[in-house]
Structures are given as structure tokens and as C-alpha cells.
Amino acid sequence: MNFTRWSARLPGTQRRAAARTEQTVPPDRRSESPVPAARAGHPASAVDGLPAREVLDRVPALVALVHGPEHRLAHVNAAYSAAFGPRAPGTPARDTLPELAELGLLPLLDQVLRSGRSRTLKSRKAVDGRSYTFTCTPVTGHGDRDAGVLVFATDVTDHAEAAERLRASERGQRQTAVTLQRSLLPQDLEEPDDLRVAATYQPGGTEAAVGGDWYDVITLGGGRTALVIGDVMGRGVRAAAVMGQLRTAVRAYARLDLPPHEVLQLLDGLAVEIDANQIATCVYAIHDPNEGRLVYASAGHLPILVRDENGEVLRADEPTGPPLGTGGWVHSSGSVPLGPGATAVLYTDGLVERRDQDLDEGITALARALSGATGTPQVVCDRLVRSAGVTADHDDDVAVLVLQHPARTGPAADLFRNAALDLLGGVEAAPRARAFASGVLTSWRFPTELHDLGVLAASELVANSLQHGTPPMRLRLRRTDRRLIIEVTDGDDHLPRRRRAEPADESGRGIDIVATIASSWGSRRTPGGGKAVWCEFLLPKR
């Protein structure tokens, strides 16, 4: 079948064939075309015949036409008049279109007139309370004074309100995360006797930039202090919640008085149980004023920086293991000197990490800032944050923990004293220890009651060590401005426990007596084997 012949009968095909015929017919024969003239004409001919003013008045958007350097008003359509009221033609825009002046559109009109290019001002709230997007398009004329600008305003109020609701929702979610984060951080840092500490937390300025940074200071007893800082990877409420669980676990593990690497070992297993897909970095450190060192373990965290009394900064790089939550790693502890006059800084990556520089460069810059930062720990903390360029719109959250071991002189030094005695020999070491403790406490001018309690506690701890411990043994007495600390060390790693002795028992009452008379007591294993048993007495306030 010949489909070409049949298709010619279809109306649409017939019209298209007629149009092609019209184009091919010579001008002098077009009047003979069987197609009516109205159908043969170009569609633009119908638009050319429409009055421009009528078209503009029917447009639902706001339209205004101005001309000349002064932007004299030529026409506003009905929609514009309905929004802002009628306007008198011929007057400059700054006088007759004040709503455009308030939105800052007059300089934009000048730019469009000079450049001959369109400009758009997105989503601006006008005096009528609605939001518009303004597009200014040049209109050419026969001269500079005839050239003009067509102002076309689209009502985007619904879009603007939806965007504002979305922003308000995001702000609310971020505020919830910030509130949760801050509530999980320590509200007031514990104040160790021998250290001065300060910390700061700065949430990220971008939406949902709140992360899982945390810090803590934990007094362990016996004059020792644990310091911890960590960073849970991720953002938002989930990261803050994981951070809270890890921080609570750190405080619980710290009460066991374990070495730093053992604490991280426990945290590693807990992090896997909390969320196998969530990892965190952490540094756990312990300061012992008797040793003058900071013993620490790191799980993928940034190195501790320590400035000595001469202003030289030391970077504690090793040992460092993988982040918490990876599992299967045996952590180890290291140490760095922290004597009188030294300052240490623990921090998270938000303080030193930038997209446009290497991480080591950020740590080096922080070390330079620390070398010149003096004053109280809070002053040092603030200076380090400022030197790193951390502002309210910073793209990551920041946590910084600063600790100082003050170099005390004069009357302040008299409030911090140490005395130690090596316990040599057998049972005769006990009376020698009592005499030593009595002499030291007398020289420190303690009240009679506190003197007698201290001598009794020292005697019981020494007797317990002589009976159950092994050499070498040592008695140490230490006083601060707040407490008296008595500690006995020996070579046996079996930790004593408090128990209730029966009336017929000849032993087992020593630790119970110490626990009864002292403010607090505890025991821990010492590095290299052995243990330390200690007790504390709070001093009367002056």
C-alpha cells in the first residue's frame, strides 16, 4: 500500500505541505496559494500586533519600566500598582519608587544602564512584607536618554518562607547538638593540688558542625591527676552521644587507677561495643608530682605539647596507637617531663587542621604560639585559640586543655613539702617509720590531732607492707595546701582490700583502721612491678 498517498489526506500533513508550498512559491504568485493568508503568515506577526502595555498589564509579576540616566518612570503594570500603589510617570525612580531604593536597586539600575547586561537580585523582602526576586534588563533606545531598564519582580514569598523554616529547623537541630555536647562536658573542672588547669570548647560555626570533642580532669588520689582529651569522628547528636558514653567510661576506668595504656585498652573494647562503625581518638595522661613527669598513652590522637620553664617546647610523639574502636591493638605508655614551671597542652584537630595546609604545619604553628604564651592556664588557652584563627564560624569544633605545674617559691613553697624514708631491715623498720613520721609532721606544724592520726596511718600502712609485701619498701609523706598524703610502696603487686576482721582474728584490721580515720585511701600497681598504698587527710581550712 502507498502510505505516502494516504498520508497526504491527513489535516496536519496538509497544513504542513501548504506551509512548505507557501515558502517555495514566488512572491508574485503567493496570492494564488490555496492556503488562507491568516494561516500562511509567521506566528510572530500576531505578537507584533499586540500592544506592549496591554501585555505587561496582564503579566502577574510586577513590572516597571524606567528610562534615562535618572531612571524616570515610564510605566508600571497593574500587578505593581496593586502591590505598592499607583505611581506617577515621568518622575525619577528615587522619588516615585522608594520601595526600590530601600532594597538597594537604584545602583543596580545604574550598572544595567552602563553595561547593557541584565542583573538579578534574589529574594529580597519588600515594604509590603513579601519577598521578590528582581531582574533588571536593559531596554535599548535611540540615545542615552531614551535607553531604559525593565524591572521584573517575581513573588518568591513561599520559597523564602520555606527556606527560612528549613534554616530554623537546622538551627534548632544544631542548638540541640550543642546543648547535648556542652551538658556532657564537665561543667566545672576538678582542681588538683599540684596543677592549675583550664579548658575551652568551641563548637563549629557551620550547620551541624557540632562534633564529639571532649576533655576531662580527674583527681586520682595520692596527689595524682588524670587528664584526658578525645575526639569522636562525625558530627551531630550521634557523635555527642558516643562522646558522652566514652567520657563516662573514662571516669569509671580512672577510678581503678590503671596505667594509661590499660585504660585505653578498655576504652577500645567499649568503643567497638557502642558502635562498630564509630571511631575516636584519645589521649589519657597521668601526672604524679613526686615523679615530675606526665605518663600518657595515645589512641590515634595528636601529640601533647609541653613547654618547659625555659620556654622550649617538646612534642610528645610516641607511642601512638590506632584510634579507639579499631580493636586488636595493644597500646603502650610513654612519658614526658613536666616539672615545676612547665605547661602542657592537649587539643583536638580542629585547632591545628586546615584544608590549605599540612597537619604538621598546624602543630608547628601551635608550638610557636605556646612558646610565647604566658600567664594563667585560661590566658594561655585563649591565646592559643586566637593564634589558631578559631572564630565563631570555624568549620570544626575545638577542644583545648591546658595544665601548668607551678614553680612555687617563698611562703607558697612551704605549703608543699615532701619527705621519704627507705624501709630497710625487718620488724625494726616499723618503729623507725613511726619516729620518722612523727618528726616530719611535727616539723610541718600540724595540729596535735592530725599529727597523731598521721602517725597512726603511717604505722598501719608500714606494718601491712612488712607483713604482706616484699622489698624494696618506701614510706613517703607529702603535704599540699589542702591535704596530707601518706604512701607506702613495696615490691609485691597484690593489692590489699578492706575487710571486716572477726573478733578472734589477730590480723586484718590495718586497712580498715586506715580507711576509718583517713579522708580517703586507695592502692595501685606501680610501673615495673609492685604496688603503692596511700591515704589522705584533709587539712583544716585557714
Side-chain angles (χ1 to χ4, degrees):
M1 181 178 291
N2 189 344
F3 286 99
T4 304
R5 181 170 58 85
W6 283 97
S7 64
R9 298 182 180 181
L10 299 177
T13 304
Q14 194 173 21
R15 285 197 297 270
R16 287 192 293 271
R20 286 194 297 270
T21 303
E22 176 68 19
Q23 293 175 2
T24 57
V25 172
D28 57 345
R29 298 185 61 187
R30 285 186 181 177
S31 60
E32 302 175 5
S33 172
V35 181
R39 293 186 177 182
H42 194 276
S45 62
V47 178
D48 292 339
L50 293 177
R53 189 179 297 267
E54 181 181 349
V55 172
L56 295 179
D57 281 338
R58 291 179 178 274
V59 172
L62 280 62
V63 178
L65 179 63
V66 297
H67 67 89
E70 295 183 347
H71 308 301
R72 293 184 176 275
L73 181 63
H75 175 69
V76 294
N77 71 344
Y80 195 103
S81 299
F84 299 114
R87 296 291 187 267
T91 55
R94 65 175 177 274
D95 298 328
T96 195
L97 301 175
E99 59 276 359
L100 300 187
E102 292 182 9
L103 293 172
L105 247 70
L106 297 186
L108 196 66
L109 297 179
D110 293 335
Q111 294 178 19
V112 172
L113 201 60
R114 287 194 304 268
S115 65
R117 300 178 60 184
S118 300
R119 295 287 189 272
T120 298
L121 190 66
K122 294 185 177 181
S123 188
R124 293 294 188 272
K125 180 171 285 190
V127 293
D128 64 345
R130 303 191 66 79
S131 297
Y132 300 91
T133 291
F134 292 87
T135 300
C136 302
T137 303
V139 177
T140 58
H142 299 291
D144 290 342
R145 301 196 63 83
D146 294 328
V149 178
L150 181 68
V151 181
F152 189 89
T154 305
D155 191 337
V156 293
T157 304
D158 292 342
H159 295 82
E161 291 177 351
E164 179 57 33
R165 287 194 298 269
L166 179 60
R167 287 192 293 268
S169 176
E170 291 174 346
R171 287 194 298 268
Q173 292 178 6
R174 181 175 181 275
Q175 185 59 40
T176 300
V178 170
T179 302
L180 175 62
Q181 172 82 348
R182 292 193 180 279
S183 66
L184 294 175
L185 290 174
Q187 304 304 304
D188 296 301
L189 291 178
E190 296 184 20
E191 299 180 0
D193 293 357
D194 294 273
L195 297 177
R196 298 293 177 263
V197 296
T200 187
Y201 171 74
Q202 176 68 48
T206 56
E207 297 298 332
V210 178
D213 291 14
W214 93 91
Y215 56 82
D216 211 345
V217 177
I218 309 165
T219 53
L220 301 178
R224 303 163 72 248
T225 305
L227 306 116
V228 59
I229 194 164
D231 184 2
V232 177
M233 302 304 172
R235 294 289 182 268
V237 175
R238 176 60 182 168
V242 173
M243 176 274 290
Q245 295 178 74
L246 290 178
R247 176 177 173 257
T248 302
V250 168
R251 295 193 68 87
Y253 295 148
R255 299 305 177 192
L256 300 176
D257 216 341
L258 299 172
H261 65 275
E262 293 188 22
V263 171
L264 290 191
Q265 208 71 47
L266 294 172
L267 281 177
D268 187 26
L270 179 65
V272 174
E273 294 179 8
I274 293 175
D275 189 343
N277 298 319
Q278 190 82 56
I279 63 174
T281 63
C282 180
V283 166
Y284 182 85
I286 295 177
H287 176 255
D288 189 338
N290 297 315
E291 303 295 336
R293 303 186 69 81
L294 195 65
V295 181
Y296 68 93
S298 175
H301 204 77
L302 299 172
I304 301 173
L305 298 181
V306 179
R307 186 191 67 197
D308 62 18
E309 64 275 11
N310 300 319
E312 296 184 5
V313 177
L314 172 67
R315 181 189 298 190
D317 283 327
E318 297 294 342
T320 300
L324 303 175
T326 56
W329 183 266
V330 179
H331 293 272
S332 57
S333 295
S335 66
V336 62
L338 189 71
T343 300
V345 178
L346 289 75
Y347 52 96
T348 57
D349 58 358
L351 186 66
V352 295
E353 189 174 29
R354 300 293 181 271
R355 292 189 177 93
D356 56 349
Q357 71 176 15
D358 187 74
L359 181 61
D360 284 337
E361 295 179 10
I363 298 175
T364 301
L366 179 63
R368 287 196 301 267
L370 177 61
S371 64
T374 58
T376 65
Q378 189 60 59
V379 170
V380 173
C381 197
D382 294 340
R383 290 188 59 180
L384 295 180
V385 171
R386 287 197 302 270
S387 69
V390 177
T391 59
D393 57 352
H394 194 60
D395 60 358
D396 194 7
D397 50 346
V398 175
V400 183
L401 177 62
V402 176
L403 56 136
Q404 291 180 346
H405 188 184
R408 297 178 175 87
T409 58
D414 294 335
L415 300 178
F416 292 82
R417 297 287 190 89
N418 286 279
L421 173 68
D422 291 326
L423 301 175
L424 304 176
V427 293
E428 66 274 9
R432 191 161 58 248
R434 284 194 296 269
F436 174 78
S438 178
V440 169
L441 298 181
T442 300
S443 67
W444 289 349
R445 300 178 181 178
F446 282 157
T448 302
E449 181 181 1
L450 183 57
H451 171 280
D452 294 342
L453 292 176
V455 171
L456 176 59
S459 177
E460 292 296 337
L461 292 180
V462 169
N464 185 77
S465 182
L466 290 173
Q467 183 175 358
H468 303 287
T470 60
M473 303 178 184
R474 186 178 178 87
L475 169 65
R476 177 181 288 157
L477 285 81
R478 175 173 174 79
R479 73 154 295 169
T480 69
D481 58 344
R482 304 175 193 172
R483 70 197 79 223
L484 165 66
I485 304 168
I486 301 172
E487 182 180 79
V488 176
T489 59
D490 63 56
D492 184 77
D493 60 1
H494 178 73
L495 299 180
R497 60 185 179 87
R498 184 179 181 182
R499 66 185 181 87
R500 182 181 299 276
E502 298 297 331
D505 292 342
E506 296 182 359
S507 62
R509 295 180 176 84
I511 295 299
D512 188 57
I513 293 174
V514 171
T516 300
I517 65 175
S519 303
S520 61
W521 79 281
S523 62
R524 70 179 187 279
R525 290 186 174 89
T526 55
K531 67 175 179 297
V533 185
W534 55 268
C535 67
E536 294 180 350
F537 294 89
L538 294 179
L539 301 183
K541 294 183 179 180
R542 294 178 177 272

